[in-house]
């Protein structure tokens, strides 16, 4: 039996293609002292990975050409050289995009597959859920009675942001998405007060119509036209959490700054960038508060699951093209013993 790896074959210029990926079959690695061997069950597919395919300096180390890409994964421990982990344990770690991973034990966290499906630990109860929680409550300093606008609201982060805002007493929650089905999902299933398809008309016009009294909080996953529209609608002393800018990830030239940024002077609003790594101290509080909401069904989540590690590159390309709803996960097939 061999292990399978997804490697970066070349750096994309503009929109990535399948030619930028290489699939390799290799021998199963052997753990050393302080390490565990994990057979991955599910791996995370995330927009931020596009930035790591570039050699440009960023907050995350670029992927190396010819080397395995990596991201969040959950899998079963096959071998362990350390106390505290034993074969059969299910762990969360950061060495996905391969079927088998040798992980330093200090970088693995046990998860309970009985408490929630393992895929949830990559999404609503994982990094994306924590991003939404910390971004809304800590970075954007959400207050009861705020009107909240979320761009990319049908994504893994945005869908949780909007629901948390409603559960915590937002006056009004508005979301943008790229298809009519996603818009319907936001309002009919997730409880958003309003949502719109950003392709139907200028975002600034649709946001003004959805929030005639303005917005107090903007959670940005998109950037570009959405950011300009949010600046147009933001109220005095509003707050913006800038989490992502997927609209510019494939640009080959730097995007122009928002043309109305000078409004920050009169409106005195706050813009703060955020990385989830700065907020890991909130993880216990987040899990304690959000896990019961997920279990009870008060906080809903959706997953787009693709079967087979060899299909992960296409899933990533589809994600960048906006094909998914909420969290995208690649699942290894056939399922491991006991299923998922």
């Amino acid at each position: 039996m061999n292990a399978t790896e997804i490697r970066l074959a070349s750096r994309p210029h503009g929109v990535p293609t399948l030619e930028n990926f290489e699939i390799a079959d290799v021998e199963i690695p052997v753990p050393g002292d302080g390490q565990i061997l994990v057979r991955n069950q599910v791996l995370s597919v995330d927009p931020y990975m596009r930035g790591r395919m570039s050699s440009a300096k960023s907050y995350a180390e670029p992927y190396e050409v010819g080397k395995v890409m990596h991201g969040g994964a959950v899998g079963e421990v096959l071998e362990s050289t350390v106390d505290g982990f034993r074969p059969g344990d299910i762990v969360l770690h950061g060495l996905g995009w391969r079927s088998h991973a040798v992980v330093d034990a200090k970088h693995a966290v046990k998860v309970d597959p009985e408490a929630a499906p393992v895929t949830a630990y990559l999404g609503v109860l994982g990094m994306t859920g924590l991003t939404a929680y910390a971004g809304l409550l800590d970075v954007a300093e959400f207050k009861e009675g705020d009107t909240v606008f979320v761009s990319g609201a049908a994504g893994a982060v945005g869908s949780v942001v909007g629901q948390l805002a409603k559960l915590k007493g937002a006056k009004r929650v508005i979301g943008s998405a790229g298809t009519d089905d996603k818009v319907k999902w936001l309002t009919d299933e997730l409880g958003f007060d309003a949502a719109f398809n950003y392709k139907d008309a200028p975002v600034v016009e649709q946001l003004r119509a959805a929030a005639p009294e303005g917005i107090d909080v903007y959670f940005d996953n998109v950037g570009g036209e959405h950011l300009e529209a949010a600046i147009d609608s933001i109220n005095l002393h509003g707050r913006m959490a800038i989490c992502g800018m997927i609209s510019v990830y494939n640009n080959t030239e730097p995007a122009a700054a928002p043309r109305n940024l000078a409004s920050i002077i009169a409106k005195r609003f706050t813009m703060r960038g955020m990385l989830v790594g700065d907020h890991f101290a909130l993880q216990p509080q987040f899990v304690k508060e959000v896990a019961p909401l997920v279990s009870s069904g008060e906080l809903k989540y959706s997953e787009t699951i693709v079967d087979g590690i060899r299909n992960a590159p296409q899933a990533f390309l589809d994600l960048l093209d906006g094909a998914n709803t909420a969290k995208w996960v690649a699942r290894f097939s056939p399922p491991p013993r006991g299923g998922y």
Side-chain angles (χ1 to χ4, degrees), residues 316-336:
F316 175 70
L317 300 183
D318 292 342
L319 170 67
L320 292 182
D321 196 39
N324 70 305
T325 297
K327 180 65 184 177
W328 200 308
V329 175
R331 179 171 60 188
F332 292 84
S333 55

Side-chain angles (χ1 to χ4, degrees), residues 4-255:
T4 302
E5 298 178 345
I6 306 295
R7 299 172 178 173
L8 180 66
S10 59
R11 301 199 186 280
H13 182 73
V15 179
T17 68
L18 289 177
E19 284 67 38
N20 298 126
F21 301 88
E22 175 191 0
I23 301 176
D25 293 316
V26 299
E27 292 186 0
I28 295 176
V30 177
D33 291 341
Q35 296 181 322
I36 56 177
L37 172 64
V38 180
R39 178 175 58 201
N40 289 329
Q41 296 179 357
V42 290
L43 61 86
S44 186
V45 182
D46 298 294
Y48 83 90
M49 299 177 72
R50 173 61 184 87
R52 302 190 70 178
M53 297 176 77
S54 169
S55 61
K57 184 177 180 180
S58 184
Y59 62 86
E61 182 182 0
Y63 296 132
E64 294 184 48
V65 174
K67 298 292 183 67
V68 188
M69 298 170 60
H70 48 86
V74 176
E76 178 186 359
V77 175
L78 298 182
E79 300 177 33
S80 174
T81 66
V82 296
D83 295 333
F85 291 93
R86 60 183 181 180
D89 286 344
I90 305 300
V91 297
L92 170 68
H93 62 90
L95 296 181
W97 289 68
R98 68 197 87 193
S99 62
H100 295 73
V102 167
V103 182
D104 289 341
K106 63 184 178 181
H107 294 149
V109 178
K110 289 183 187 179
V111 299
D112 182 1
E114 300 297 325
V118 293
T119 52
Y121 294 102
L122 295 178
V124 67
L125 294 179
M127 182 179 71
T128 50
L130 178 60
T131 301
Y133 182 88
L136 178 68
L137 302 181
D138 192 14
V139 179
E141 299 178 352
F142 170 84
K143 302 188 298 291
E144 185 177 354
D146 280 341
T147 294
V148 178
F149 172 46
V150 186
S151 61
V157 173
S159 59
V160 176
V161 171
Q163 291 182 86
L164 284 176
K166 286 297 293 183
L167 289 167
K168 290 183 173 294
K171 178 181 180 181
R172 188 166 174 80
V173 175
I174 302 144
S176 71
T179 71
D180 292 341
D181 285 343
K182 291 180 181 180
V183 168
K184 183 176 175 62
W185 182 64
L186 292 174
T187 55
D188 292 0
E189 299 294 330
L190 302 192
F192 280 61
D193 296 288
F196 58 83
N197 185 337
Y198 67 85
K199 299 175 183 177
D200 286 348
V203 176
V204 65
E205 295 177 4
Q206 297 195 76
L207 182 56
R208 284 176 184 170
E213 297 179 2
I215 62 174
D216 304 298
V217 167
Y218 174 48
F219 195 104
D220 191 13
N221 293 301
V222 177
E225 183 185 2
H226 282 77
L227 180 54
E228 281 197 357
I231 292 173
D232 176 81
S233 286
I234 197 87
N235 289 328
L236 188 67
H237 299 305
R239 291 90 63 204
M240 298 186 178
I242 311 300
C243 177
M245 293 190 174
I246 195 171
S247 69
V248 302
Y249 285 170
N250 291 324
N251 287 6
T252 57
E253 298 293 334

